[in-house]
Amino acid sequence: MENRQTRIDLTSLRSTIDAIRSEVGKIIVGQHQTVDLLLTALLADGHVLIEGVPGVAKTLTAKLLAKTMSVGFSRIQFTPDLMPSDVLGTSVFMPKTGDFEFKKGPIFSNLVLIDEINRAPAKTQAALFEVMEERQVTNDGTTYHLEEPFMVLATQNPIEQEGTYRLPEAQLDRFLFKIVVGYPDAAAEVDILRGHHQRRNLNDTLDAVEPVITAELLATLRGQVHQVHVEDNLFDYIAQIVQATRANKSLYLGASPRASVALLNSAKALATLRGRDFITPEDVQELAAAVLRHRVLLTPEREMEGGTPDEVIAQLVQKIEVPR
């Protein structure tokens, strides 16, 4: 691989990613894995679902990522009374012309933060199917295309929390990653307290975060990700991992072919984050849980035993021979 004639110059990509990390790091303490996964999804052109209990900076992290980009941003707070038209837009009668005119909803932006996505009922959640997959909205027979880039960052509270609705499997499959944000350790929590004590106003600090990437630069960087080299045996490796989820006795539902594509695309993006123009088995292993945990369902028996999707995914990955 080192002797290939054409190599990708990743200098601009690495400097841009380092600048984003630096800006986000002005406020966020720790969370290095979460930030790296968000950056990987950004380069891989995928949507992200972030799950965690209230108060672990899910929304703040998403807002900070948006602040580092010179693109359109909108935030939608999902609530039980939210209607699909509140998200997508609606046709409004215009007395001057005597016609209906489509007024675009907040989903028509570049980076869309959907806060507490699982607090809205199924009808509103289902409204996101078309826009997340096909980057378009159809209203009264007319199709409206969204501008590039388009990325949905959705936060959700754990399903066991009161007033939440489980997202349907078809919608979960449209998220490239599901990132689980846990509690910080003691040292990180002390750093959080220090940072909070030193800041007079969170909004002042947010304003200090500088945009470092434009839509045009992002398109260029994504083009470089597409060129990342993949050995044939790594295609086989990814397929074997996803196939194994469909034959595992602990899983009631396995991952779809969309998961295979997601694992490939995100591994290529992660490789560039690591400064390489080729993917390795380690890239695939590192991303397996984030790509697969929301695309599989445990059997009732395994769930009653206290098992988790992450445990099952780790076990099946360990059983598959690593290509060298």
Side-chain angles (χ1 to χ4, degrees), residues 209-251:
V209 174
E210 299 288 337
V212 296
I213 186 169
T214 62
E216 293 75 21
L217 177 57
L218 179 58
T220 300
L221 300 184
R222 284 176 173 174
Q224 292 181 330
V225 170
H226 285 307
Q227 298 172 41
V228 167
H229 180 74
V230 184
E231 295 283 353
D232 283 342
N233 57 8
L234 285 167
F235 290 123
D236 294 334
Y237 185 54
I238 290 170
Q240 286 177 43
I241 290 173
V242 176
Q243 290 273 337
T245 66
R246 302 169 196 164
N248 192 287
K249 293 179 180 178
S250 296
L251 296 177

Side-chain angles (χ1 to χ4, degrees), residues 25-147:
K26 289 179 179 178
I27 299 178
I28 292 295
V29 175
Q31 306 263 26
H32 301 299
Q33 185 183 25
T34 297
V35 172
D36 273 7
L37 286 172
L38 286 172
L39 293 173
T40 301
L42 182 67
L43 291 173
D45 193 13
H47 309 298
V48 177
L49 179 64
I50 310 172
E51 181 180 282
V53 297
V56 291
K58 302 184 301 295
T59 301
L60 178 59
T61 305
K63 286 172 70 175
L64 286 171
L65 180 65
K67 289 280 289 182
T68 65
M69 303 170 64
S70 296
V71 298
F73 172 73
S74 66
R75 175 182 176 178
I76 312 171
Q77 182 71 46
F78 268 30
T79 55
D81 60 347
L82 196 73
M83 299 296 291
S85 58
D86 297 328
V87 177
L88 305 180
T90 187
S91 294
V92 178
F93 182 72
M94 307 299 288
K96 286 186 177 180
T97 61
D99 292 325
F100 283 90
E101 183 178 312
F102 181 64
K103 293 292 184 182
K104 294 179 178 179
I107 200 71
F108 283 87
S109 192
N110 299 116
L111 201 151
V112 180
L113 169 59
I114 298 178
D115 222 0
E116 298 188 293
I117 189 172
N118 60 339
R119 290 209 183 277
K123 186 176 183 179
T124 303
Q125 291 178 7
L128 298 171
F129 278 20
E130 180 185 19
V131 70
M132 287 181 65
E133 182 66 18
E134 301 172 42
R135 317 291 172 98
Q136 65 182 34
V137 171
T138 303
N139 179 268
D140 291 338
T142 303
T143 299
Y144 303 90
H145 295 277
L146 280 79
E147 294 180 4

Side-chain angles (χ1 to χ4, degrees), residues 163-177:
T164 59
Y165 303 82
R166 185 182 293 274
L167 297 181
E169 287 74 23
Q171 185 175 350
L172 286 170
D173 205 23
R174 284 158 169 76
F175 285 101
L176 180 73
F177 293 149

